[in-house]
């Protein structure tokens, strides 16, 4: 736990604390959510995997865009970051047609104002990655918005900048991941501004919680591909006849162990670093 830090916010599975005027501490828990419900059973080391992976990408994308990372703490789950003025949009990039993108496409043939070719199947790869911003909903689901609505929220110039940077970040990570057997179908970035008005990447980026990771060897269109990390959790929940509203079910040990192994596998495949070496010294991902 941070030493005498003020709690400034929480997400479903992460907490944010103020360290001082300029710095925040982002702490990733081991909680897991499925069908938008946080389950009562933790996945050991999940928060460390996500923190290490985000740190790995931050270190490797600095030339594309500066980010808020200052240091990784020795607990492996806490990121010291620069305090930013966050932009009020979620910057989503989609390389494949899944989730709300697929839903919008089937209803309208377009996603956030991007007209797409006719006849695409669910999970199809898009001709080019598209930027599909969403509003930040306090509770419930983020709502996809078109570029006019996004421009009203951040200004046309800033919108053009976040679109260009978001797509460049996605291309970098998706290319790297694809060479290691993982498809990053889509991803969400949150940006802020520093005190000089420069765009800075914040939050946790390019992790399985902020993205859809699919195992490349099981990829096929015409359905929703398995999640790289949460498939055991989802499959188990489907066996229960659970109504997918809170409270969620406890997970058996075999599901916990299998899911932890998938998170560690994603970390090791993407970083090329043995997870135990990360636990010994988290900043190994930054070098
Ligand atoms: C911030 N959120 C939204 C963690 C994630 N560097 C920053 N400076 C100022 N504010 C924020 C950051 C960051 N990152 C980001 N809220 C504040 C997502 N949070 C929700 C709580 O858990």
């Amino acid at each position: 736990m941070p030493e005498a830090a003020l709690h400034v916010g929480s997400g479903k599975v992460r907490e944010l604390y103020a360290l001082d005027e300029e710095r925040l501490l982002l702490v990733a828990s081991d909680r897991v959510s499925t069908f938008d419900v946080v389950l009562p059973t933790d996945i050991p080391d999940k928060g460390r995997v996500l923190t290490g992976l985000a740190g790995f990408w931050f270190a490797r994308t600095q030339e594309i865009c500066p980010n808020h990372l200052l240091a990784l703490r020795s607990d492996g789950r806490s990121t010291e970051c620069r305090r930013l003025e966050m932009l009020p949009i979620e910057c989503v990039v989609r390389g494949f047609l899944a989730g709300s993108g697929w839903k919008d496409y089937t209803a309208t043939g377009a996603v956030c104002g991007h007209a797409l070719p006719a006849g695409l199947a669910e999970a199809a790869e898009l001709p080019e990655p598209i930027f599909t911003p969403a509003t930040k909903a306090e509770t419930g689901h983020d709502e996809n918005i078109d570029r006019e609505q996004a421009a009203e929220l951040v200004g046309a110039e800033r919108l053009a900048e976040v679109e260009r940077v978001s797509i460049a970040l996605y291309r970098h990570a998706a290319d790297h991941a694809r060479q290691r057997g993982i498809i990053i179908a889509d991803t969400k970035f949150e940006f802020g501004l520093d005190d000089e008005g420069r765009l800075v990447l914040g939050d946790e980026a390019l992790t399985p919680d902020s993205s859809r990771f699919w195992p490349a060897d099981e990829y096929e269109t015409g359905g929703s591909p398995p999640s790289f990390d949460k498939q055991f959790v989802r499959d188990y929940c489907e066996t229960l006849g659970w109504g997918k509203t809170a409270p969620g079910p406890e997970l058996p040990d075999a599901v916990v162990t299998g899911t932890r192994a998938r998170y560690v596998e994603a970390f090791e495949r993407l970083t090329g670093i043995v997870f135990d070496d990360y636990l010994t010294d988290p900043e190994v991902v930054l070098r």
Side-chain angles (χ1 to χ4, degrees):
M1 276 291 289
E3 66 292 331
L6 287 167
H7 189 227
V8 296
S10 46
K12 275 194 304 224
V13 299
R14 290 168 305 145
E15 310 287 342
L16 204 50
Y17 301 89
L19 293 174
D20 54 41
E21 303 254 289
E22 284 99 38
R23 297 179 311 141
L24 298 176
L25 192 70
L26 183 55
V27 183
S29 75
D30 291 338
R31 293 192 290 276
V32 64
S33 69
T34 190
F35 307 111
D36 276 329
V37 175
V38 177
L39 302 182
T41 311
D42 284 358
I43 305 299
D45 292 325
K46 171 178 176 278
R48 294 189 175 93
V49 164
L50 271 56
T51 299
L53 203 45
F56 172 82
W57 294 121
F58 281 144
R60 278 154 189 81
T61 59
Q62 291 176 83
E63 291 94 279
I64 300 172
C65 182
N67 59 69
H68 71 165
L69 183 144
L70 295 169
L72 295 177
R73 290 216 169 159
S74 59
D75 65 7
R77 65 173 72 253
S78 306
T79 306
E80 293 180 10
C81 24
R82 285 195 273 162
R83 196 193 281 260
L84 307 170
E85 200 67 55
M86 300 306 287
L87 298 180
I89 57 172
E90 310 263 12
C91 293
V92 178
V93 179
R94 299 171 188 276
F96 294 74
L97 206 43
S100 68
W102 166 243
K103 241 177 144 188
D104 292 353
Y105 174 73
T106 56
T108 69
V111 185
C112 295
H114 298 271
L116 295 175
L120 293 175
E122 186 174 9
E125 184 167 12
L126 299 173
E128 298 288 334
I130 57 173
F131 178 70
T132 62
T135 55
K136 296 185 187 185
E138 285 302 309
T139 54
H141 293 266
D142 297 340
E143 196 187 327
N144 288 341
I145 54 178
D146 62 27
R147 49 186 319 99
E148 287 70 52
Q149 295 167 291
E152 281 169 28
L153 290 167
V154 301
E157 250 188 89
R158 191 66 78 178
L159 180 64
E161 185 184 15
V162 297
E163 171 165 18
R164 175 179 56 75
V165 170
S166 295
I167 288 180
L169 290 167
Y170 172 78
R171 282 189 193 279
H172 170 88
D175 289 354
H176 177 96
R178 191 67 191 77
Q179 291 167 33
R180 288 154 182 85
I182 294 175
I183 291 171
I184 303 180
D186 52 40
T187 198
K188 180 207 75 178
F189 300 110
E190 294 198 32
F191 293 94
L193 306 181
D194 68 12
D195 45 23
E196 321 243 32
R198 282 181 297 238
L199 189 71
V200 178
L201 178 61
D203 205 39
E204 169 191 288
L206 299 162
T207 67
D209 272 13
S210 64
S211 319
R212 271 192 188 80
F213 282 17
W214 293 336
D217 60 358
E218 293 177 61
Y219 171 71
E220 56 184 18
T221 61
S224 143
S227 157
F228 192 94
D229 46 305
K230 288 181 182 169
Q231 201 58 39
F232 296 147
V233 173
R234 292 195 188 148
D235 289 350
Y236 172 72
C237 289
E238 296 289 6
T239 69
L240 298 175
W242 168 50
K244 298 171 186 173
T245 56
E250 290 189 41
L251 301 174
D253 286 351
V255 173
V256 171
T257 303
T259 301
R260 181 188 180 279
R262 292 295 278 175
Y263 280 107
V264 171
E265 185 184 348
F267 175 96
E268 292 187 337
R269 278 212 219 174
L270 292 172
T271 66
I273 295 165
V274 175
F275 186 60
D276 279 339
D277 292 344
Y278 175 75
L279 297 178
T280 301
D281 175 13
E283 291 201 332
V284 68
V285 294
L286 307 181
R287 300 196 268 265

